[in-house]
């Protein structure tokens, strides 16, 4: 499955790849010797984070890839497995926009398969659309922008039947009670699970994403990533953050509670036609006039996402769940519309 040139190439070997131990004098990486807190290059493979993260995720450190956001992992997976102009990726429509963007950048043909009306996988259409040259299927669950989990049974059918790589993007997994697919890695050598520190962990500005897979796939991603793709500050803050899982869990609980409240309040507004069930930290709401509502809110300095041009999302706004006060202000503004 791996692109021939990626399989055969010799990866860049950094100073920190070649010497990993403790020493007193480092004159091997052309760094500035005067301490600034950041004058040394970071650990290229971020082992301290992986060792902390592995027991939390119930995987081994060698099954983890860390990147500059999960966006980096999305790009690298396509680069690793798709021969340009030949090997396609398959995505659902609608879904997270970066799969299509990364496919385009890497000249990987894109196959889009529309979700059903209740935003679930259409397996007949999906299996009908796969070709011999399809290398990757991206499944986003919970899906962005629709908010729902994809049916677990259907995902299993894809994993069982498709011979290429199945990427399950679980960026929003902490906001559901559903079990992560990371626990099925031993059963499926073609599975890659993506998660991120940008949502539940509250570190979107740091840029740290995770990919979980078998060691062979993780090694391929490490082979083609930039040598020092996660900077020292990100590594240090991520390590500290991982010591306080309770803080993350508390934020998640609050967001889930607010999500239910916001859903109720939205449903009582005359402009609301439907609020779709959400397993994520946002709600997709169908309103009478999404572009108009979007502009009205923008004039009041409240920014939501107008998704009305997206497949199956006519007149839909995607609203991130905010703090209790932010949600209150949003509802108050909408009541005056
Ligand atoms: C489904 C999904 N995957 C990945 C990402 C990007 O995550 P990161 O910040 O880790 O690059 C997002 C961001 O909105 C997302 O919605």
């Amino acid at each position: 499955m791996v692109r021939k040139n990626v399989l055969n190439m010799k990866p860049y070997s950094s100073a920190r790849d070649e010497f990993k131990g403790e020493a007193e004098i480092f004159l091997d990486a052309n760094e500035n010797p005067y301490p600034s807190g950041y004058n040394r290059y970071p650990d290229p493979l971020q082992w301290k984070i992986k060792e902390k993260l592995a027991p939390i995720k119930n995987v081994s450190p060698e099954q983890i890839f860390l990147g500059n956001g999960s966006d980096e992992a999305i790009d690298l997976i396509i680069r690793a497995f798709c021969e340009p102009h030949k090997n396609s990726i398959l995505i659902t429509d609608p879904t997270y926009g970066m799969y299509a963007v990364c496919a385009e950048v890497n000249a990987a043909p894109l196959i889009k398969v529309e979700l059903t009306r209740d935003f679930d996988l259409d397996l007949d259409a999906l299996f009908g659309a796969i070709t011999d040259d399809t290398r990757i299927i991206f499944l986003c669950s919970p899906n962005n922008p629709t908010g729902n989990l994809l049916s677990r049974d259907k995902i299993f059918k894809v994993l069982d039947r498709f011979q290429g790589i199945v990427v399950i993007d679980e960026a929003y997994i902490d906001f559901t009670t559903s079990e992560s697919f990371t626990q099925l890695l031993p059963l499926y050598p073609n599975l890659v699970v993506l998660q991120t520190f940008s949502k539940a962990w509250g570190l979107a500005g740091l840029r740290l994403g995770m990919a979980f897979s078998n060691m062979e796939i993780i090694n391929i991603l490490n082979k083609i990533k930039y040598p020092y793709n996660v900077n020292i500050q990100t590594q240090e803050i991520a390590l500290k953050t991982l010591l306080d899982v309770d803080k993350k869990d508390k934020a998640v609980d609050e967001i889930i509670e607010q999500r239910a409240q916001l859903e109720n309040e939205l449903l009582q507004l005359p402009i609301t036609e439907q609020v779709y069930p959400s397993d994520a930290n946002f709600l997709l709401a169908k309103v009478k006039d999404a572009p108009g509502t979007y502009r009205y809110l923008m004039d009041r300095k409240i920014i939501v996402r107008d998704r009305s041009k997206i497949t199956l999302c006519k007149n839909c706004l995607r609203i991130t769940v905010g703090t209790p006060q932010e949600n209150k202000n949003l509802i108050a503004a909408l009541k005056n519309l």
Side-chain angles (χ1 to χ4, degrees):
M1 285 284 155
V2 179
R3 267 172 71 195
K4 285 264 167 338
N5 60 319
V6 168
L7 198 62
N8 295 333
M9 73 182 238
K10 198 166 163 283
Y12 177 73
S13 180
S14 71
R16 283 291 72 74
D17 287 319
E18 285 177 16
F19 180 86
K20 296 189 179 73
E22 295 292 320
E24 282 179 13
I25 300 176
F26 283 97
L27 303 175
D28 60 347
N30 297 349
E31 296 151 332
N32 182 323
Y34 301 107
S36 68
Y38 304 107
N39 57 315
R40 299 295 175 188
Y41 282 108
D43 172 6
L45 290 171
Q46 314 98 11
W47 284 115
K48 282 189 183 151
I49 306 178
K50 289 175 183 173
E51 272 149 26
K52 276 251 143 44
L53 191 58
I56 294 173
K57 299 292 180 185
N58 194 28
V59 296
S60 75
E62 293 77 16
Q63 289 178 299
I64 306 173
F65 166 87
L66 293 174
N68 189 341
S70 38
D71 286 340
E72 182 184 357
I74 293 167
D75 185 47
L76 290 181
I77 294 164
I78 297 176
R79 270 202 248 175
F81 292 103
C82 293
E83 207 64 68
H85 303 290
K86 179 169 169 28
N87 294 131
S88 56
I89 74 160
L90 186 147
I91 64 172
T92 67
D93 192 19
T95 194
Y96 179 50
M98 279 303 284
Y99 316 134
V101 170
C102 293
E104 183 128 32
V105 169
N106 291 296
L110 183 70
I111 301 171
K112 282 187 184 183
V113 177
E114 199 167 305
L115 291 173
T116 58
R117 303 218 136 254
D118 56 353
F119 302 140
D120 204 357
L121 291 175
D122 179 343
L123 285 186
D124 289 340
L126 187 147
F127 287 124
I130 292 170
T131 74
D132 288 347
D133 284 328
T134 307
R135 283 288 175 277
I136 309 168
I137 297 178
F138 281 92
L139 302 177
C140 187
S141 182
N143 189 37
N144 178 5
T146 57
N148 59 298
L149 285 161
L150 301 175
S151 142
R152 234 178 138 72
D153 286 348
K154 290 183 182 177
I155 294 179
F156 277 121
K157 293 208 167 88
V158 176
L159 279 166
D160 283 327
R161 196 162 143 187
F162 181 56
Q163 298 293 308
I165 306 294
V166 179
V167 179
I168 304 180
D169 187 341
E170 296 185 337
Y172 301 99
I173 192 69
D174 299 81
F175 304 102
T176 81
T177 50
S178 178
E179 202 189 329
S180 166
F181 272 88
T182 49
Q183 297 318 292
L184 294 150
L185 288 174
L187 295 183
Y188 293 101
N190 59 340
L191 171 62
V192 181
V193 178
L194 301 181
Q195 293 185 9
T196 177
F197 282 85
S198 298
K199 312 294 173 185
W201 291 95
L203 298 176
L206 274 192
R207 311 306 300 129
L208 188 60
M210 308 164 245
F212 304 94
S213 190
N214 64 69
M215 235 195 310
E216 286 80 3
I217 291 181
I218 296 301
N219 287 343
I220 297 278
L221 299 183
N222 284 332
K223 184 176 179 183
I224 61 175
K225 75 180 183 66
Y226 287 149
Y228 303 110
N229 60 329
V230 178
N231 67 69
I232 287 191
Q233 198 165 31
T234 298
Q235 294 198 31
E236 286 174 355
I237 295 174
L239 263 181
K240 245 191 274 166
T241 304
L242 284 170
L243 294 176
D244 200 352
V245 178
D246 284 351
K247 187 173 167 201
K248 184 259 299 175
D249 289 342
K250 242 181 99 191
V252 166
D253 287 347
E254 176 127 347
I255 289 166
I256 291 174
E257 199 184 304
Q258 281 295 307
R259 179 178 75 198
Q261 204 165 320
L262 189 58
E263 180 181 358
N264 272 337
E265 307 238 28
L266 285 169
L267 282 169
Q268 285 163 36
L269 299 171
I271 58 157
T272 306
E273 300 201 330
Q274 194 170 356
V275 180
Y276 294 96
S278 173
D279 287 287
N281 66 339
F282 57 85
L283 290 167
L284 188 74
K286 196 182 210 50
V287 295
K288 294 215 163 76
D289 169 21
T293 309
Y294 171 78
R295 283 192 302 271
Y296 168 87
L297 287 171
M298 190 169 64
D299 288 344
R300 280 149 192 81
K301 300 195 166 15
I302 299 173
I303 313 300
V304 296
R305 200 85 194 262
D306 178 6
R307 300 279 75 184
S308 40
K309 292 207 175 77
I310 294 209
T311 308
L312 302 177
C313 295
K314 195 161 175 247
N315 270 326
C316 283
L317 296 175
R318 194 194 68 190
I319 303 171
T320 308
V321 178
T323 63
Q325 188 61 52
E326 288 171 338
N327 303 333
K328 233 181 247 164
N329 292 359
L330 168 77
I331 294 296
L334 288 174
K335 277 183 180 161
N336 284 327
L337 173 62

